[in-house]
Amino acid sequence: MKMTKIYEGSHQWIMFGRDEGKPANIIDTNQYVVRTPNRCLLLDPGGAELFAPMMAAVLHHAPVDQITDLFASHQDPDVISSLGLWDQALTNAKLHAPAIWEGFLRHYSCESIEYVPISDNGGTIKLESVELQIIPAHYLHSPGNFHVYDPQAKILMTGDVGAAFEAPDAPVFVDNFAAHVEKMRHWHQRMMPSNQAKRVWIERVRNLDIDILAPQHGRMFKGDDVKRFLDWFDALQVGIAV
Amino acid sequence: MTNQTKSQFIAVASITSELSAVMVVAKEISLAAANAKAIAFRAGDKAKGFQPITDFINELAKETIELVTNINIYALVLYRLTVDEFQKTTAYNKFELAAKMAEGAAYAKSMQEPVDHARLSMQDCQRQFKRDVSQLLGQLEAVMHHARAARVIAANSRIEASQAGEYLQSLQAVAESVDKAAHTIHDNVQRCRIALSIYRNS
């Protein structure tokens, strides 16, 4: 599992992905960790298949008892089907996840972890002195969907928005936006169902000061590529399968 | 999922299936008893010896239904335990793998506690499963006992039926149906016992 520190300040952001040991027939995912002095938040911790390499990778940054928070942007298995395993490994943790998916996500088993439901209008996650904003991103692509914004690190974790599928050895940041577009086009047209939801989300995130846009699949966007992505997405017609 | 886990799931699921067939047959015995009672009543003195047997058949059917109902509840508990054991075994294996993969990591040692805890939980589940299987086998033995008793009653019924004059055929049919039902219950329960017995001492 490749680990890349993408922010270092009063706290850290670490991106995990490009797992070489993962079975070839499952989708590659990026996991993000926000590390404060005594706590650790896993954003979209991944599928059950990924649990062992992900846990092993996190242990380079935090002990098990400091993994106190999990966040699931939505209910998909590549996002959170590892929940039942985290549930048995962690003794004092919370799962921040969309309220509408609570009954569904509990199918993965969530007995010792406390489910903290996120209402439709979002909220915050407080991690010691760090306050992360939970940004609504409904219908992008899931009907109950959230992104996480860190105003201090200026990172927006965007789940499936900005996703692309890459070779295992691909760089973690977009280095040629024009070339990258074709890796994203069909995914966004097919997986994102609503042009209206997309416009509302773009208006919302254009107001945020973003250095890094961090999707759950493929490369991250930084600097000017963040605006390029938003402009490109704004112009894209989505929901093409109907 | 290992082959042993798959077999365990199948064994537990097959109990419910076999027992639902037993339940149907036990209800048939109960009906046969009611039918026999009506015939014996019409036959009067000619079937005097048959009358107490019908009550006995009915009682036996009721007890079998009650036993099977309880066993079905128990089988559901056993199924949940099988799911639990599967989850705990999966967790233990994944935790061990994570610990191995984390060798050299700054906080690798912190994984030891979850590994130990998962191992103990898994072992607890396995012990509980064996205990529950032993109890279930005991309950199944009780149903087998009822089935054997029903066959004895069926044999007695045949003797009594032979003295019932023009009611001989009807009462013999009742005896045959009790005997057949007892046979079916015996076979089905025996299959349950065979499916489960390998887990008692595994």
Side-chain angles (χ1 to χ4, degrees):
Chain A
M1 176 90 66
K2 195 168 182 173
M3 297 179 263
T4 309
K5 201 170 281 182
I6 58 174
Y7 176 76
E8 173 102 58
S10 67
H11 60 289
Q12 299 172 341
W13 273 73
I14 307 128
M15 177 257 200
F16 300 80
R18 312 288 192 270
D19 181 29
E20 288 173 353
K22 80 165 182 59
N25 55 1
I26 65 169
I27 195 169
D28 185 39
T29 51
N30 301 332
Q31 293 70 236
Y32 298 92
V33 163
V34 180
R35 176 76 169 121
T36 58
N38 300 298
R39 287 174 65 182
C40 190
L41 162 69
L42 312 188
L43 300 166
D44 285 0
E49 284 285 343
L50 209 73
F51 172 83
M54 182 59 192
M55 172 65 103
V58 174
L59 292 177
H60 286 270
H61 303 275
V64 174
D65 62 355
Q66 289 186 10
I67 304 172
T68 54
D69 296 81
L70 308 178
F71 165 81
S73 61
H74 60 293
Q75 82 290 7
D76 276 354
D78 63 319
V79 169
I80 189 67
S81 67
S82 56
L83 177 60
L85 294 162
W86 293 108
D87 191 54
Q88 292 186 63
L90 309 179
T91 51
N92 181 31
K94 293 176 179 177
L95 169 68
H96 308 264
I100 66 163
W101 296 127
E102 180 168 355
F104 297 76
L105 288 176
R106 285 188 182 278
H107 275 277
Y108 291 132
S109 185
C110 182
E111 286 167 21
S112 69
I113 289 178
E114 180 191 346
Y115 194 108
V116 182
I118 307 168
S119 63
D120 278 353
N121 55 353
T124 57
I125 299 173
K126 190 102 167 74
L127 215 60
E128 299 189 89
S129 64
V130 177
E131 187 165 285
L132 303 167
Q133 297 172 11
I134 303 173
I135 310 290
H138 305 310
Y139 304 104
L140 295 174
H141 65 92
S142 166
N145 209 125
F146 293 99
H147 297 161
V148 171
Y149 177 63
D150 180 343
Q152 209 173 322
K154 298 180 183 173
I155 295 172
L156 177 66
M157 185 272 187
T158 55
D160 282 321
V161 174
F165 299 97
E166 296 278 1
D169 56 350
V172 296
F173 282 104
V174 172
D175 49 12
N176 180 342
F177 186 81
H180 192 67
V181 159
E182 290 314 312
K183 294 176 188 165
M184 303 189 288
R185 187 186 305 279
H186 182 71
W187 165 263
H188 287 81
Q189 287 183 319
R190 181 67 184 83
M191 294 299 281
M192 304 299 158
S194 162
N195 286 302
Q196 188 193 346
K198 182 193 67 158
R199 275 194 298 272
V200 169
W201 178 82
I202 290 171
E203 276 172 29
R204 189 175 290 139
V205 303
R206 278 200 198 277
N207 293 324
L208 305 175
D209 186 6
I210 303 168
D211 279 350
I212 294 175
L213 191 144
Q216 196 218 347
H217 308 280
R219 304 186 197 198
M220 294 172 284
F221 302 80
K222 67 177 171 185
D224 293 341
D225 281 338
V226 174
K227 184 180 179 305
R228 284 191 192 101
F229 172 75
L230 294 176
D231 291 344
W232 170 81
F233 192 34
D234 206 0
L236 190 73
Q237 284 297 306
V238 299
I240 59 165
V242 288
Chain B
M1 193 184 280
T2 64
N3 283 340
Q4 162 140 8
T5 312
K6 280 181 194 166
S7 309
Q8 197 167 312
F9 270 112
I10 292 165
V12 174
S14 71
I15 295 166
T16 313
S17 156
E18 297 284 2
L19 291 183
S20 63
V22 168
M23 190 69 105
V24 170
V25 173
K27 283 175 183 166
E28 280 171 13
I29 295 180
S30 186
L31 265 177
N35 192 26
K37 196 166 189 164
I39 296 167
F41 181 74
R42 279 202 303 276
D45 283 348
K46 289 177 187 168
K48 213 171 182 178
F50 207 95
Q51 283 171 3
I53 290 178
T54 60
D55 291 335
F56 201 58
I57 296 171
N58 191 37
E59 197 59 33
L60 204 63
K62 271 187 185 169
E63 282 176 12
T64 304
I65 290 167
E66 201 174 310
L67 260 175
V68 170
T69 304
N70 288 339
I71 293 173
N72 264 328
I73 294 166
Y74 211 78
L76 190 64
V77 170
L78 205 62
Y79 176 75
R80 287 194 183 128
L81 196 60
T82 304
V83 173
D84 205 24
E85 188 193 328
F86 168 66
Q87 286 174 339
K88 291 203 156 68
T89 304
T90 304
Y92 171 65
N93 291 334
K94 298 264 185 193
F95 291 4
E96 270 218 321
L97 179 61
K100 198 175 168 194
M101 292 173 91
E103 275 174 18
Y107 301 101
K109 282 185 181 164
S110 71
M111 197 59 210
Q112 197 53 49
E113 199 179 320
V115 169
D116 291 343
H117 186 260
R119 186 194 301 111
L120 289 175
S121 294
M122 178 185 73
Q123 289 167 345
D124 275 351
C125 257
Q126 287 166 344
R127 277 192 290 271
Q128 183 66 41
F129 186 79
K130 279 181 193 171
R131 275 198 295 271
D132 285 0
V133 162
S134 289
Q135 285 200 27
L136 192 56
L137 283 168
Q139 287 178 310
L140 289 170
E141 175 56 37
V143 179
M144 296 273 281
H145 184 76
H146 277 65
R148 282 193 288 268
R151 295 200 73 185
V152 172
I153 292 168
N156 287 339
S157 301
R158 277 197 205 97
I159 295 164
E160 292 298 334
S162 66
Q163 294 160 16
E166 69 267 36
Y167 295 98
L168 181 141
Q169 268 193 327
S170 306
L171 291 175
Q172 264 190 345
V174 170
E176 284 305 316
S177 88
V178 171
D179 192 43
K180 198 176 156 198
H183 208 272
T184 306
I185 291 174
H186 183 277
D187 287 355
N188 284 31
V189 173
Q190 182 65 357
R191 278 198 292 274
C192 289
R193 296 180 75 218
I194 291 168
L196 279 180
S197 56
I198 56 167
Y199 299 104
R200 180 170 46 186
N201 302 314
S202 63

